[in-house]
Each structure stands twice: as structure tokens, then as C-alpha cells.
Amino acid sequence: MHEETSKIQKEKNAPPFKITRLSSLNMHEPESVSEKMTSRDRHEECSDFLEKVFSNIHLLIAYMDVDFNFIRVNNAYAKAGGHPPEFYVGKNHFELYPNQENERLFGEVLQNGQPSSLEAKPFDDPHQPDKGTTYWDWTVQPVKNDQHKVIGLVLTLVDVTQRTQQQRELINLTRDLEDQAQLLELAHDAIFVHDLDGKIIYWNRGAENTYGFSKDEVLGKIIHELLKTQFPESLVKIIGNLLSEGHWEGELGQTTKQDKKITVESRWALRQTEKGKAIGILEIDREITRRKQAEFKIQEARRYAESIIETIQVSLLVLSPELKVRSANKTFYETFCRNPQETEGKFIYELGNHQWDIPELRVLLEDILPKNTSFEDFEVERLFENLGRRTMLLNARRLYRRGGKTRLILLSIQDITQLRVQQERIRADQVRIADLTEELLMAEERERRRIAVDLHDSVGQILAFSKREIGAAQKTAPESLAQNLKLIKNHITNAIKHTRDLTFDLSPQTLYSFGLEAALEELAEKFSKEHGLACSYEADDESKPLTEELTILLYRCVRELLINIAKHAKANNVHIYIKRMNAEIEIIVADDGQGFDPAILDLTINKKKFGLVSIRERFKHIGGRFQLQSTKGKGARAILTAPLNLADTSEKEIAT
């Protein structure tokens, strides 16, 4: 339609039709018959061409004399009037179509010799009343002779009835919109109307705010040229869909007055006449630039998260409320040798060889959404298809998003088979190291015992013999020598005492001769004397069969605890209590000192507590327990518990 209108406009603006008579042409007189014949042929050819143009052009053309009598009309004019061309020759225009205003207009052209034009002039044909009112673009062009005298008029007519009716209907539509302007002006969306050629005829305040152009700046402009619209598909296709469907929706790229690029969500509605003829387009645009930017950021974040999920070395499954697989990551497919077609949409219990069909796992998964629970470190050891026997560690929880929780479950599956193998190796190595440590300690203890016996049997005996002999010699020696012998005897006495203390510290004879309880009682007495503390000892009457290794371990641990009390506790009273509890022996060492935080044992870098950590680890190795109960300012209690039948316990560990 836009192209047709442009074509008509070009023809309207073309030079007016001018009839040229051959006799009026300024030509040189031919000098020969041949030249006369050639000139006549040219004139005839030119006349034929002009006649064809005049007869076949679709414009309505009528040539009249100065009295407004028809001289010639073309075929288009005759057809529009409903008569043959010769019907009009000699007849007066205003006798056929009386109109005083038009007659005055024609007269003005004769008088001033200037052409005149009228657009969309209404016309009621008295000879064809059934046509009703039609509309024409008129051009009245004077025809002048060589003296510039007007000798006739050329009337050119273009039928613009259809265009005018559409414009009138658009005007009516605009008036309807203006009647509703108060409502439309309240809308934040950009609302405007344009004809099928794209010319804007209505522009609301929302459009002004969105695009920055005022109503006066846009009316009559081509909308898509003004806003530099970027379409998602060709405009021809969009218009085709609009004409067939009556509406169109999509996203457009627009440019504001400030040259800012924005994205709008655009909805088009076709405006039609009562007869169903398209006359214009109502367009509603909503700016979604920020939303598109947010969507882009979300997509980027999703791609970033997906890239992390795809590279993580843990299998991940997203489950629906029915426990069907929504999606899985790359690691899952690679680990279990599956593809999305075999996985997505299937119940978790149906995957593979039904390795996940475990009653306990069912209960845990089914409770997550209704009870808002989760679970961690659920271990599954199964024979997996294509993998063999594997150990898997499962964790599951509800998926959360910003703004609330979802109806989805995230299940992670980690293959810990190699980890378990390594842990078993480490555990075995730890047992071997602990066994070696115990053997080294026992070897050390035996060496202590040997040195203590040697000190007692050799050095101790020699010193005792020397003391006795010096005592005998002292009785018969002169006074001056007796004083020296007395001094030597005192030194030997001190040496004997230090030897006994050294022998006790290395390996108390009481421990091997009379057992643990007697040795601990002796240790308590010695501790009281050396450190000035009240150290009491108490034991029940139950028998406590102990191996040599356990006897030595318990003794050394109690001694280590007493040394710690003396160094750090600032206590006044210490109590040692030993009793039997079924197949176990329990020793409690309590003090009334300043106390400490038992959690310090977990800080292995604290060298001051290394002795306590060593006790704990040695008791753990033999199947016993070491507990510390303490509060700052309220003293401390150390509880040593060990099985009485150590050999059987070791055999049970090896069997396990």
C-alpha cells in the first residue's frame, strides 16, 4: 500500500499533460523531398507515442478549451464517467458536472495562468448516484501558446477514495483513542497507533517516557525509521502474520531519542473497519531492558554453576517429588556408564540393576520433602552394573533457591571405594605402628628393669658393703680418722638413697614383686613426700588379673598423671582409686587443682599435653578408654579403663 501511494504521488508531481500540435513545432524547412519524408515520419512516430500515453495512462485526463468544453478525454476518464471518450467531445464540463466552486477554481487558473491542485476533494456524480461520494486529487494545468496566452486547460484526476476512507477511519480511531486518553495516559506502557505504512497517528505519555520523543515530534513519522527498530524476523513476515492472525507479539530492539538501545516486549493488534479492511496497527510496548539484563546475568550464573557441576568429581542427581530423575551431571553418566535417555524421567530405584532399591534409603529420601529433613554419609556397598563391587557415600537435601524452597531433591553420590581401601591400609599401618610402639616400650621397660636390677644387685650391694665396712673401721680408728670415715659413710648413705630412688624410677621392685596395687600405693606415698601433697590411695578387694604389659602400662600412666598434677594442677589433694568393673579395671586419679579444658587434647600441636595424648592413644590400641573430666577452677578427674583379659582383646581386633 505504501509503494502504491508513492507511485501515485510521483505521477501527481510529474509535469502536466501538454498536447502539442505538429504545426506549432519550430522546425527548419526541409531542403529535399527525402528530408521532408524523414521529418514527417518522426512527427508521426512522436504523435503515435503521445497518443498511446494519453490513452493508456491510468490517470484521468481531460483537455478543455477556455470555455470549459471538452476537446479530448482519455480512456481512464471516460471509463470513470461511464461513457465512451467521444461522448464528451464538445460538451461543457460544468453542464455535465455543475459545481460553482470548481467553476470558480477553473476560472482563476485561466486568469492567473497558474496551476491549481486540490487533495481528496469529494465528488458526487449526478449520472452515477449509486457510487456515492468519491474522493479525488485534482490538478488543473493551464495550456499556453507561444505568446504565453492560456488557450486551454488540462484536468488531471487521481481516485483517492480508498485512501481517504482509510484516513477518515484512522482519524475516527484516533478520536476514540483520544476519548480514552485519560486511561491511556495513566498506562506506563508505550501505546501508539500507526497506519499500514508505519506513519504514527497516536502517541501516549508512556511512549514519551519510554522513547523520549514528544507527541509533536513523532506524529506523521515512520515509526520503525524513527526508533531504528531491530526485528526478530523480517518485517514483511511480521506484517503477513499480523494480517492473517490479527495480532503479533515479540521482542524488539529500539533506540530512544537519547540514542540508548533498549529492549521492549511488543504486542501488535490489527485495527480494521466494520467491513474487515485493515486500516492501522495498535502497538503496545513495555520496556524489559533490565529484565533482559537480569535474565542474561541469570543465564551466565546458570552456565557458571553448570560448568562447576559438570567438572565436579561427585555424581549429582536432581530428583522430583516422586523421586524421578530430573537431571544428572556429567560425572554421574561417566561413573555409571549411562546416558540421559536411560536416566531422566526414571525412578531412582529403577536405575541400573536396581542397586538403589534399598528400604532404608527409600525412607530417608521419602522423608526429605514432607518433613524437610536431610541425610549425610549414608554408605552403600553393592555390586554395580559395569563397575563391580563398589562403596558409595550418599548425601541428600532439599534444593533451595533465593526466595524459598523448591519441590526438588539434590542427591550426591561419591565413590569412596578407593578411599575405604586406603583407610583400611592406614588403619592396618596404625595398628602395626602401635604394636611396634608397645614392643619398643616393653623393650624399654625390660631394659629399665635390667638396669634397675643391676643397680640394686651390684652398685647397691657394693655401697651397702662399703658402708658396713667403714662403720666397722670407724669404731677402731683414731679420733682424727674416725671423723673422716664418718663423712665418707654419710656420702655412701646418700649414694645408697639416690641409687634406690633411681632404681624406683627406672623400675620399681614392688611392681614386679607384689603387683600393681602395692606399687601404686607405694607411688602415692613417695609422691606425697616429694611434692608435699596429700595423696591418698584406695582400692577394692576384687581380684584384678593383669598381664605384665597391662600392669606396666597402668603404672606408667598413673605416674604420668601424677607428674602432670605436680607440674600444672596447683592442687593440694590427690586421690587414687582402683576398682574392678566386671571384666575391666578402672583407675581414677582426681585432684582439687585449677582444672583445664579437656578439649585441649584435640590440639595435637600442644606439646605440653603430649603425655596425655600418648596415654589416650595407647589405651585406644589395647581396647581401653581414657577419659578426662575437668572444669576450670574445680579440679580434674582422669579415668583409665582397660580390659583385664588383654590377650583375648587383641585376638578379637585381629579377627575383626
Side-chain angles (χ1 to χ4, degrees):
M1 181 178 292
H2 181 60
E3 293 177 357
E4 182 66 22
T5 303
S6 299
K7 183 178 179 182
I8 293 171
Q9 286 295 115
K10 289 178 181 179
E11 291 174 347
K12 280 176 55 181
N13 296 330
F17 176 78
K18 182 176 180 181
I19 299 177
T20 305
R21 293 176 297 173
L22 295 179
S23 59
S24 66
L25 294 175
N26 186 15
M27 299 178 292
H28 295 289
E29 193 71 25
E31 297 180 358
S32 64
V33 175
S34 175
E35 291 179 349
K36 289 181 179 179
M37 292 297 294
T38 302
S39 177
R40 187 179 296 112
D41 292 339
R42 290 198 191 101
H43 292 317
E44 289 178 356
E45 183 179 349
C46 182
S47 297
D48 290 341
F49 173 74
L50 293 175
E51 182 64 29
K52 288 179 180 178
V53 172
F54 179 74
S55 299
N56 296 310
I57 194 169
H58 72 279
L59 296 176
L60 280 64
I61 303 174
Y63 180 38
M64 292 170 279
D65 61 19
V66 295
D67 295 324
F68 312 130
N69 297 317
F70 288 103
I71 298 175
R72 287 282 305 274
V73 298
N74 69 347
N75 292 334
Y77 191 99
K79 183 179 179 181
H83 301 285
E86 56 270 16
F87 169 80
Y88 294 91
V89 177
K91 291 184 172 60
N92 187 272
H93 179 277
F94 293 107
E95 289 180 359
L96 291 176
Y97 308 110
N99 187 296
Q100 293 181 356
E101 183 182 354
N102 293 345
E103 189 171 357
R104 180 185 57 79
L105 174 65
F106 281 34
E108 290 177 356
V109 174
L110 287 176
Q111 289 178 5
N112 57 34
Q114 299 297 321
S116 180
S117 298
L118 291 174
E119 291 187 357
K121 184 170 178 60
F123 174 69
D124 294 303
D125 191 345
H127 307 291
Q128 301 181 77
D130 55 318
K131 283 188 174 182
T133 301
T134 56
Y135 296 87
W136 303 82
D137 284 350
W138 288 32
T139 300
V140 182
Q141 181 76 30
V143 179
K144 300 179 182 179
N145 60 14
D146 294 340
Q147 288 75 37
H148 302 290
K149 180 180 179 181
V150 178
I151 59 173
L153 298 175
V154 175
L155 173 64
T156 305
L157 301 173
V158 178
D159 189 353
V160 294
T161 303
Q162 184 177 359
R163 186 188 71 190
T164 303
Q165 289 175 345
Q166 290 178 356
Q167 289 177 343
R168 287 177 178 272
E169 288 168 346
L170 280 173
I171 291 171
N172 292 333
L173 173 62
T174 303
R175 288 174 179 169
D176 292 340
L177 289 173
E178 289 174 351
D179 291 340
Q180 303 173 18
Q182 291 183 350
L183 293 177
L184 295 178
E185 293 301 326
L186 293 175
H188 295 290
D189 293 341
I191 302 175
F192 48 90
V193 178
H194 54 83
D195 61 21
L196 297 181
D197 293 329
K199 291 182 180 179
I200 302 171
I201 61 173
Y202 177 77
W203 187 261
N204 81 330
R205 187 176 299 165
E208 292 182 352
N209 295 334
T210 300
Y211 295 111
F213 294 101
S214 67
K215 184 183 297 184
D216 295 336
E217 290 177 302
V218 301
L219 292 181
K221 300 288 181 62
I222 304 297
I223 180 64
H224 308 310
E225 293 177 357
L226 178 71
L227 301 180
K228 302 175 184 177
T229 306
Q230 295 178 343
F231 296 98
E233 53 187 341
S234 69
L235 181 58
V236 173
K237 188 174 181 180
I238 292 175
I239 294 297
N241 291 336
L242 180 66
L243 292 175
S244 61
E245 301 293 334
H247 60 86
W248 178 85
E249 293 183 7
E251 293 181 4
L252 303 176
Q254 308 278 43
T255 303
T256 68
K257 183 178 180 180
Q258 293 74 28
D259 204 31
K260 177 184 176 183
K261 305 290 184 182
I262 65 172
T263 302
V264 299
E265 190 176 63
S266 187
R267 290 171 290 166
W268 296 13
L270 189 65
R271 309 303 297 176
Q272 298 174 315
T273 65
E274 294 180 356
K275 297 180 180 180
K277 188 170 184 61
I279 58 172
I281 299 171
L282 170 66
E283 187 172 336
I284 303 176
D285 291 350
R286 174 173 295 177
E287 185 181 359
I288 57 171
T289 307
R290 291 184 179 178
R291 192 184 81 187
K292 294 297 290 184
Q293 292 172 346
E295 289 175 354
F296 177 76
K297 290 181 180 179
I298 291 171
Q299 290 173 357
E300 286 294 304
R302 182 181 291 112
R303 282 193 289 268
Y304 177 71
E306 288 175 350
S307 66
I308 294 176
I309 290 171
E310 290 302 318
T311 55
I312 196 170
Q313 296 301 308
V314 175
S315 299
L316 297 176
L317 291 174
V318 177
L319 306 179
S320 69
E322 299 80 22
L323 301 183
K324 289 185 177 181
V325 179
R326 285 279 188 90
S327 62
N329 70 339
K330 182 180 179 181
T331 303
F332 176 86
Y333 294 123
E334 291 178 349
T335 301
F336 296 97
C337 304
R338 295 293 174 196
N339 57 51
Q341 292 74 23
E342 298 172 314
T343 305
E344 294 179 4
K346 302 290 183 63
F347 286 102
I348 177 108
Y349 314 119
E350 297 176 351
L351 299 182
N353 56 357
H354 297 267
Q355 65 262 17
W356 308 116
D357 193 3
I358 305 169
E360 187 178 356
L361 179 60
R362 275 179 176 265
V363 173
L364 290 173
L365 289 173
E366 290 171 356
D367 284 348
I368 288 178
L369 293 180
K371 296 183 180 180
N372 201 29
T373 60
S374 63
F375 65 84
E376 295 180 355
D377 299 338
F378 181 81
E379 195 167 311
V380 175
E381 185 176 355
R382 286 286 189 277
L383 186 64
F384 290 88
E385 188 178 3
N386 301 322
L387 297 177
R389 182 162 292 278
R390 294 294 180 93
T391 302
M392 302 290 177
L393 196 66
L394 277 62
N395 296 279
R397 52 163 290 182
R398 180 197 290 268
L399 270 178
Y400 285 85
R401 292 176 182 163
R402 182 180 296 179
K405 51 194 177 183
T406 68
R407 295 283 296 168
L408 299 173
I409 298 171
L410 178 64
L411 174 65
S412 69
I413 305 171
Q414 183 179 5
D415 187 348
I416 60 169
T417 307
Q418 292 300 318
L419 177 62
R420 285 288 180 262
V421 172
Q422 293 172 358
Q423 287 176 341
E424 287 300 323
R425 289 175 180 170
I426 292 172
R427 191 177 295 110
D429 291 341
Q430 288 175 337
V431 171
R432 284 195 294 272
I433 292 171
D435 290 340
L436 289 173
T437 301
E438 288 300 320
E439 290 180 10
L440 287 173
L441 291 173
M442 289 306 300
E444 178 187 351
E445 192 63 36
R446 285 190 290 270
E447 186 63 20
R448 283 171 171 268
R449 175 63 181 158
R450 186 188 66 78
I451 294 172
V453 171
D454 287 347
L455 283 174
H456 180 272
D457 293 344
S458 58
V459 177
Q461 293 297 330
I462 292 171
L463 289 173
F465 177 77
S466 298
K467 179 181 178 182
R468 186 184 62 197
E469 290 299 319
I470 289 174
Q474 184 181 7
K475 293 178 182 179
T476 59
E479 184 65 24
S480 58
L481 182 59
Q483 290 298 325
N484 291 332
L485 291 175
K486 182 179 179 181
L487 181 61
I488 293 172
K489 183 180 178 181
N490 290 337
H491 285 306
I492 292 175
T493 301
N494 290 333
I496 291 172
K497 181 179 180 301
H498 288 307
T499 301
R500 287 176 180 172
D501 290 342
L502 182 59
T503 301
F504 182 85
D505 291 339
L506 284 172
S507 181
Q509 181 64 33
T510 307
L511 181 65
Y512 293 95
S513 301
F514 302 103
L516 176 66
E517 295 178 64
L520 291 179
E521 185 175 6
E522 181 185 31
L523 179 64
E525 292 176 0
K526 189 173 185 300
F527 181 78
S528 294
K529 291 178 182 179
E530 290 181 353
H531 299 284
L533 299 177
C535 185
S536 60
Y537 171 81
E538 183 181 358
D540 63 9
D541 296 329
E542 297 290 333
S543 64
K544 304 171 185 66
L546 302 171
T547 63
E548 181 184 6
E549 291 82 359
L550 184 56
T551 300
I552 294 171
L553 174 61
L554 291 172
Y555 181 84
R556 291 296 176 191
C557 289
V558 172
R559 185 174 182 274
E560 178 69 25
L561 291 172
L562 291 176
I563 292 173
N564 277 338
I565 291 172
K567 288 182 177 180
H568 309 295
K570 298 181 180 179
N572 296 317
N573 297 282
V574 180
H575 180 69
I576 302 172
Y577 180 58
I578 180 171
K579 62 180 178 179
R580 177 173 178 171
M581 297 182 63
N582 298 323
E584 294 181 325
I585 183 173
E586 182 179 273
I587 300 176
I588 300 174
V589 180
D591 68 75
D592 61 355
Q594 62 185 357
F596 63 94
D597 183 3
I600 199 170
L601 285 181
D602 296 326
L603 303 177
T604 55
I605 59 173
N606 192 328
K607 295 182 179 179
K608 293 182 178 180
K609 303 300 177 182
F610 180 75
L612 298 178
V613 174
S614 177
I615 293 172
R616 182 182 65 184
E617 294 304 316
R618 292 183 70 182
F619 267 78
K620 186 186 298 183
H621 176 64
I622 66 169
R625 299 180 301 280
F626 174 57
Q627 298 172 278
L628 277 176
Q629 300 171 353
S630 180
T631 303
K632 287 187 175 182
K634 295 184 179 181
R637 280 167 56 92
I639 304 172
L640 306 172
T641 307
L644 292 174
N645 196 342
L646 183 60
D648 290 345
T649 303
S650 299
E651 291 173 5
K652 290 178 184 177
E653 285 189 354
I654 295 172
T656 304

